[in-house]
Amino acid sequence: MVRDDGKRNFALREGDGSESSVFSGNTPRQAALKAARRIDPASSESDADRTKLRLREKGTDKVHVYEGWAWEEEPPENSPDWLEDQDAITEANVSKQGIKHLDEE
């Protein structure tokens, strides 16, 4: 279901079918990127392990399947003041694997 501000809610599904967290975004990819940042980050993007992320769109039977990975980087030089105290920031990326429906799982 789309909220008044245009965002949709996506529940992160575990392997047993339970839904542990809810992420919002205008697109499923936005929500998947937020979920991927919670993955234990690697020291670099090339070393990052890929994790399967399954996000069910609330109000529908669609499950968006992504492969996500996270890594740590130094903050950019033009970062805001509050970020200067951080040694590293977590970056993430996702790759869409497809859409499934709950009755297919």
Side-chain angles (χ1 to χ4, degrees):
M1 301 293 296
V2 179
R3 300 183 331 201
D4 291 338
D5 60 2
K7 294 190 185 293
R8 298 182 284 175
N9 291 323
F10 299 89
L12 181 64
R13 291 179 63 88
E14 303 297 332
D16 62 1
S18 65
E19 296 178 351
S20 59
S21 301
V22 176
F23 299 94
S24 62
N26 290 328
T27 64
R29 186 173 191 276
Q30 273 186 329
L33 284 168
K34 290 178 183 180
R37 289 193 50 176
R38 299 238 179 131
I39 296 171
D40 188 30
S43 58
S44 69
E45 184 175 9
S46 60
D47 295 337
D49 291 329
R50 294 172 183 246
T51 303
K52 186 181 225 180
L53 302 171
R54 297 167 58 235
L55 297 165
R56 181 181 65 84
E57 187 171 350
K58 293 281 200 155
T60 71
D61 68 344
K62 288 183 188 178
V63 178
H64 300 267
V65 181
Y66 286 88
E67 188 176 70
W69 59 100
W71 67 97
E72 288 186 340
E73 283 188 356
E74 290 184 19
E77 295 209 10
N78 62 348
S79 61
D81 293 339
W82 59 267
L83 196 55
E84 288 179 1
D85 298 340
Q86 302 293 321
D87 293 334
I89 58 173
T90 302
E91 294 282 345
N93 203 356
V94 293
S95 174
K96 189 146 191 178
Q97 304 299 304
I99 297 175
K100 296 191 178 212
H101 295 273
L102 288 179
D103 59 351
E104 296 174 0
E105 294 189 320

